[in-house]
Amino acid sequence: MRNVYSATGLVLLAILFLALTILSGAALRGMRIDLTEQGLYTLSSGTVSILEDLDEPVTLEFYFSDDASADLPMVRNFARRVQEMLDEMAQRSNGKLQVRRVEPEPFSEAEDQAASYGLEAVPVGNGDESLYLGVVGTNTIDGLEVLPFLSPSREQFLEYELARMVSLLSRPDKPRAALLSGIDMDGGMDMQTGQQREPWAIQEQINEMFDVASVAADDDSLPEDVDVLVLVHPQELSDALLADIEGFLADGGRLLAFVDPHAESATPPNPNDPMAAMNMDRASNLDGLFEAWGLEFSEQRFVADAGLALQVNVGQGQRPVRHVGILGVTRDNLNDDDVVTGELEAVNLASVGSLGLAEGSSLELEPLMRSSRQAGPLDAQRLQMLSDPSELIDQMGATGEQYTLAARLTGEVPRAFESDESAQEGDRYSLNAIVVADVDMLADRYWVQRQQFFGTTMLEPFADNGDFVINAIDNLIGNADLISVRSRATSNRPFTLVESLRREAEENLRSTEQRLEGELADAEQRLTELQQARGDTDLDILTDEQEAEIDRFMDQRLEIRRQLRQVRRELDEEIEALGTRIKVANIALMPLLVTLFALAMAWRKRRQGRSNDEVPS
């Protein structure tokens, strides 16, 4: 009878378990718990704020070729990550964001639509199949934003790109930027030819992407309804204009400023007058604002960097030399975690200054570009009439410090001017700005070439200077919520212990190889000395001593090669052993622990049952 009751109880428990599972699934639908270390599946507060403030409906269509990616597990995992993030965004939008999944099968209407939107088709396999992995966003007034291809390598910027798309679709007007430039970026007149020069490429790109209003240095105020202010080589700005700029920033405006200790690209009023070029002031600054913010920038010194120096031509028929004042900043010195610089490969700068915080400053300074540690400051006057750039190498002294060349600035800062009755000197406001200590990076010769193709001028960038500027303006134009959506951690979690083992083995390998090269050089030097001491004219005839030396060297080389093989073998063995331990932990250890726990509970229950049976009635 007891067995019958036990069987009945198990059946009832199973039915109860299924019922609770179904009910919990219905009651907790949409609820999620993110247990990842870095909150991979939790939207940032900025994204949530953008979604909750949507006034008009926005539709995002996710185009993904499910069949074409059957043999690409990494792509499929990333696509699932995109779908989950889109679903989470739709859930947090109070019904204002609609998400649709589209399968662009070959020769289908959906594929034609994907092509019409400009989505990128990546060939896969040996057939004619193409992989689509992009997002198309629309609103109710024919607004359109497209992400042609979502690369898994850009996973850390996925949330930012989707949030940016929603933010742009929520505002129909073209972003408006005010541009004040102390350099003729629009081309100006060529005094020698009497013809109009072409505008700088960066000027053309800014005009194409934004509604640009020009500002002159002698103006008293900025234009109305400006989203971002771009200052290029600001010189001799009036107090009235500086006060209006500060009022613009205090009202939530954003700033992108390019200052310089020595702007090579600045042209004198009369380029044919050598004295005018030598005596002109090539430095620019925002003294009044920088001082109030607690931002340090010296317009008398530039950063000389032997580690990032680029080669320049000094004259016809002469070998190129490295110019420590013209720098090529690569990925190692760009901020990977910021959306402005995260995907850039190289940015070229010239006679760049450095940025820092004064003691007691309330600013937060996040470096976007930094020098190498082989850098040091030099007087900007050394660049005047410089004929041989190699002279700077002898004059500089590396300090071992990394200098900040461009930075994002945020924080509460005090006012420096009284722009109106309600604004008093000493009041504080929230600053959001990006400052670059170089103006020359905007000039064409540092990042782009122009090519004529059937009467059309084509731009061929060889550096990412233009992308940096557009990224910075685009990021600053976004509201505070969008700017707060920075790069996120990726779902790719590398085996750091394995990578550590590899690096350690590679270091051992390099030291062994260096030892081999050293012994090779010593042996060759010894052979040369023996031959010179022998004095024979026929060097093909070797003495016994020379033959013994060669034999000894050959034995050494074989021994070192054996050591190299041993290092590689030990590396593989350590990694295989680590893999075995991980497999044992995953496959055997956890089930074993669960089994031991179950046995312990059964033993405890059985012991309690015996104790109850022994109690006299």
Side-chain angles (χ1 to χ4, degrees), residues 9-74:
L10 290 175
V11 172
L12 291 175
L13 286 174
I15 294 174
L16 180 61
F17 174 77
L18 291 174
L20 289 175
T21 302
I22 295 172
L23 291 175
S24 62
L28 303 178
R29 184 184 300 273
M31 297 186 64
R32 305 170 62 188
I33 299 177
D34 188 353
L35 298 179
T36 58
E37 179 181 358
Q38 296 164 314
L40 291 176
Y41 303 99
T42 302
L43 295 178
S44 65
S45 59
T47 300
V48 173
S49 180
I50 292 172
L51 295 169
E52 292 178 346
D53 292 340
L54 279 177
D55 294 327
E56 296 295 331
V58 171
T59 300
L60 299 184
E61 293 182 326
F62 178 36
Y63 285 78
F64 176 59
S65 306
D66 190 72
D67 293 339
S69 63
D71 298 328
L72 303 171
M74 181 183 297

Side-chain angles (χ1 to χ4, degrees), residues 312 314 318-319 321-323 382 385-395:
V312 298
V314 294
Q318 300 185 30
R319 296 180 59 184
V321 299
R322 292 200 174 273
H323 195 317
R382 297 179 185 271
M385 308 301 290
L386 179 68
S387 58
D388 185 5
S390 61
E391 297 175 358
L392 297 176
I393 300 178
D394 300 329
Q395 297 168 358

Side-chain angles (χ1 to χ4, degrees), residues 134-442:
V135 178
V136 176
T138 56
N139 56 21
T140 56
I141 54 173
D142 297 330
L144 177 67
E145 292 292 331
V146 179
L147 293 174
F149 189 82
L150 298 174
S151 173
S153 63
R154 285 180 57 87
E155 182 182 355
Q156 58 181 331
F157 301 115
L158 174 62
E159 182 181 353
Y160 174 81
E161 290 179 336
L162 294 176
R164 174 184 174 275
M165 174 178 280
V166 174
S167 178
L168 291 175
L169 290 170
S170 66
R171 50 175 297 175
D173 298 332
K174 192 175 183 179
R176 183 169 170 81
L179 174 62
L180 186 155
S181 177
I183 292 183
D184 290 330
M185 295 174 58
D186 58 355
M189 185 66 68
D190 190 331
M191 302 300 294
Q192 295 180 342
T193 63
Q195 297 180 350
Q196 184 75 17
R197 291 191 294 260
E198 287 186 299
W200 287 8
I202 192 61
Q203 172 89 55
E204 294 177 336
Q205 291 188 359
I206 294 175
N207 290 339
E208 180 180 347
M209 298 192 65
F210 309 104
D211 181 11
V212 180
S214 297
V215 184
D218 56 357
D219 287 347
D220 292 333
S221 61
L222 299 176
E224 298 292 333
D225 301 325
V226 171
D227 297 303
V228 64
L229 171 63
V230 182
L231 297 180
V232 178
H233 201 48
Q235 291 181 312
E236 301 178 356
L237 303 186
S238 66
D239 287 346
L241 181 57
L242 285 172
D244 197 59
I245 290 174
E246 184 177 64
F248 165 75
L249 298 175
D251 290 337
R254 313 292 155 72
L255 172 67
L256 173 61
F258 297 86
V259 293
D260 204 310
H262 184 85
E264 301 276 356
S265 303
T267 55
N270 185 4
N272 297 323
D273 184 358
M275 294 302 297
M278 186 172 62
N279 295 327
M280 72 175 296
D281 183 10
R282 295 181 178 272
S284 56
N285 202 341
L286 287 172
D287 309 72
L289 293 176
F290 284 179
E291 184 177 353
W293 299 347
L295 178 66
E296 293 184 338
F297 168 74
S298 174
E299 59 183 54
Q300 283 81 38
R301 299 172 76 79
F302 74 99
V303 176
D305 192 338
L308 301 178
L310 296 177
Q311 286 190 338
V312 298
N313 294 319
V314 294
Q316 189 173 5
Q318 300 185 30
R319 296 180 59 184
V321 299
R322 292 200 174 273
H323 195 317
V324 295
I326 300 180
L327 312 182
V329 182
T330 56
R331 286 189 66 89
D332 292 339
N333 299 89
L334 296 170
N335 188 340
D336 287 337
D337 296 327
D338 196 284
V339 294
V340 174
T341 51
E343 287 299 306
L344 305 185
E345 296 292 337
V347 176
N348 294 336
L349 310 168
S351 57
V352 58
S354 63
L355 304 170
L357 293 181
E359 186 176 354
S361 174
S362 58
L363 273 179
E364 292 184 15
L365 185 149
E366 179 184 357
L368 298 179
M369 289 187 279
R370 305 176 76 179
S371 71
S372 74
R373 296 191 181 278
Q374 304 176 48
L378 278 179
D379 195 325
Q381 291 296 324
R382 297 179 185 271
L383 297 171
Q384 292 280 12
M385 308 301 290
L386 179 68
S387 58
D388 185 5
S390 61
E391 297 175 358
L392 297 176
I393 300 178
D394 300 329
Q395 297 168 358
M396 69 165 290
T399 63
E401 178 184 350
Q402 282 188 290
Y403 296 88
T404 299
L405 313 178
R408 183 189 293 274
L409 306 176
T410 55
E412 296 289 325
V413 295
R415 278 183 176 269
F417 304 92
E418 297 181 21
S419 56
D420 53 51
E421 295 180 358
S422 61
Q424 301 295 322
E425 188 174 353
D427 289 348
R428 304 181 73 84
Y429 62 94
S430 181
L431 176 68
N432 206 316
I434 292 177
V435 177
V436 183
D438 183 44
V439 169
D440 299 301
M441 68 165 292
L442 304 174

